[in-house]
Amino acid sequence: MTTISPAAGTSAAGRPPAPHVPRPTLARTFLAMMARELRVLRKNFVSTFVRVLMQPLMFVFVFAYVLPKIGGGAMAAGGGSGATFATVLVPGLVGSSIVMQGVMAVVFPLMMELNWQRSITDRALAPLPVPLLAVQKIAAAGLQALIGGLLVFPAVLFIHADGQAPSVHVDNWPVLVLVLVLGSLMASAGGLLLGTLIDPQKVQVLFALVLMPMSMLGCVYYPWAALDHVRWLQIVTLLNPMVYVNEGLRAALTPQMDHMSFWAYMGVLVVSTALLTWSATRTFTKRVLT
Amino acid sequence: MTPSPEIAVRTVDLHKTYSGPRGGVQAVRGIDLEVRHGEFFGLLGPNGAGKSTTIGMLTTLVVPTAGEASVCGYDVVKRSVDVKRRIGMVSQNNTLDSDLTAFENLEFRGRFFGLGARDARRRADELLEMFGLTERRGGNPFELSGGQAKRLMICRALVHRPEVLFLDEPTAGLDPQTRVNLWEVLRGLQAEGQTILLTTHYMEEAEALCDRVAVVDHGRVLASDTVDGLKGSTGADTVITVSYDGDVPDGVRALDRRDGISKVELGEGQVRVFATAPDGLLGELVTAAASAGVTVTDASQLRPSLETAFLTLTGREYRE
Ligand SMILES: Nc1ncnc2c1ncn2[C@@H]1O[C@H](COP(=O)(O)OP(=O)(O)O)[C@@H](O)[C@H]1O
Ligand SMILES: [Mg+2]
């Protein structure tokens, strides 16, 4: 046990004359918080992204490499336009990674911050309005989602059996960037909303009841248009926000395949990102301020 | 409420009712406080008195249901960001950032408050040095001992040189040696002019540190004064409590007419005497029992202290 004598001479810890109080701008504080997220991301990079990559990696390996090799011909008929299954999977797996990553990047830390020791008070005491703190959380988790999605790209592009290469060509870069960014933000805003509404004992339920069906029925493994054989499901899936990310990516990456119209996916992405951000900001503020 | 420069913290009729499934909990029911710059102010009260709620409202994280509060002249609700810029807060539980090292906890706190990256690192090292934590610089904050973690939290609250430092039960759960060390730290800060508002449920902590103390219970301030003033204003200096296994002897009942005794409270088989001249009184109460043929089951004498003040104010013994 060390003994301490902060009184020793200096006035470093003491009350300074009022004018010496730093006057941080909101932007500076916001950026400093993003810098903290990047520092943490850098430290945990390997563990975080091994987790992100494993599922899509295994998936393309089995469905774009193993199954075609052993003659799983039925799997290769996605899209109805003679496209390989790998072509269907590229946008789907990138999109679902973005959404899953966006939700998890915000929900897991939030469960700790809001409950165990309530360490959120630390961030809430920074000179930033609490709603802006919510926006910062969405931005930070959105960034992780985007990185997660981008990391999946090489895996799904390059792992496939001979003759099963996906055919990807980007016609419209702005659309691609917009879908990636909006999809990331929508997912993290949705994650923040869920994370502030759900109580920590029910996180497992969140995964079982929300994320699992959302990704299985998110038009990841088939384009939405192909669902017209199961009309009711085609309509029900319109409630799933992940569908619009995947369809948007289909339009941007594999335009030769059936995909939703620009106004459909872009409209929903913009509106739901805005709505989710707005409501998550409110629920977050309610949880932080008592 | 007009801001006045010499007042660091002010509350006027502050209320907080938590809404819950089983109706509201009235945690704070009309608290008025005034803390001047440079002062070491204590909120003393038992568990559940409303101390954390009050400090929560002053640090903008708990929203008052009625009344007003301001820090350095800024309203805690309408100008919360201005308030946050000027305060440091050490909460009761460990809210250190477990994703960062001890050093990074300070570094980023500095950056949140507008320091440049280099200044923030310099300030972090300076504080670690000052608080004897340099060896723990790269460690995880959850590997620190209780006293070290508390010191790191104090460092973190001081990074941006706040005008008012709030501490919520800073020594709760610490061993006596660590507690005394922490008292030294806090005294050192005050000596440099740091305004401090601390809550505690330890009487001796309030006595040891604070210039002025507000005694709170059930969400209200019972009395607010200097430690000496509180002891003096209670009217009785020493409190003697004696319990009997039968009725209180008759001789005891007549005591309140005697000089040097301010009050006699009679309870079921118990008498409590508030006296300014307590010499020999305890013996007398015991003897009275013997001559009345009852047995004394318990006897205690409390010297003048905040504890006797609390007893006089509330009629209840202080429960920590
Ligand atoms: N978030 C909350 N929701 C509901 N009731 C609360 C909450 N926080 C505190 N209380 C209640 O308010 C009262 C005062 O609590 P608190 O301010 O923590 O007291 P202290 O810090 O003096 O021990 C207690 O009855 C406590 O149970
Ligand atoms: Mg408390």
Side-chain angles (χ1 to χ4, degrees), chain A residues 40-55:
Chain A
V40 175
L41 201 59
R42 203 176 73 200
K43 286 189 189 194
N44 302 338
F45 196 83
V46 174
S47 61
T48 304
F49 289 106
V50 162
R51 201 184 66 212
V52 179
L53 272 175
M54 260 341 258
Q55 208 245 355

Side-chain angles (χ1 to χ4, degrees), chain B residues 18 25 27 46-53:
Chain B
Y18 291 105
V25 180
N47 278 326
K51 305 180 298 293
S52 298
T53 303

Side-chain angles (χ1 to χ4, degrees), chain B residues 46-53 55 92 168-169 199 201:
Chain B
N47 278 326
K51 305 180 298 293
S52 298
T53 303
I55 218 170
Q92 191 175 343
D168 194 8
E169 310 234 12
T199 78
H201 67 264

Side-chain angles (χ1 to χ4, degrees), chain A residues 290, chain B residues 14-20 23-29 53 57 62-66:
Chain A
T290 40
Chain B
L14 195 60
H15 282 74
K16 175 67 187 183
T17 303
Y18 291 105
S19 49
V25 180
Q26 293 190 310
V28 170
R29 304 189 283 178
T53 303
M57 289 190 273
V62 176
V63 184
T65 29

Side-chain angles (χ1 to χ4, degrees), chain B residues 73-93:
Chain B
Y74 293 98
D75 186 280
V76 295
V77 178
K78 294 187 208 104
R79 303 292 297 272
S80 61
V81 174
D82 288 300
V83 170
K84 288 196 268 190
R85 281 178 186 152
R86 287 166 179 81
I87 61 171
M89 164 71 170
V90 179
S91 45
Q92 191 175 343
N93 44 8

Side-chain angles (χ1 to χ4, degrees), chain A residues 12 36 39 43 122 128 290, chain B residues 63 84 97 104 109 161:
Chain A
R36 175 207 167 268
R39 177 78 56 91
K43 286 189 189 194
D122 158 43
L128 204 64
T290 40
Chain B
V63 184
K84 288 196 268 190
D97 190 335
E104 286 170 327
R109 179 52 72 103
R161 301 171 199 275

Side-chain angles (χ1 to χ4, degrees), chain B residues 206 265 298 304:
Chain B
E265 279 178 9
D298 193 32

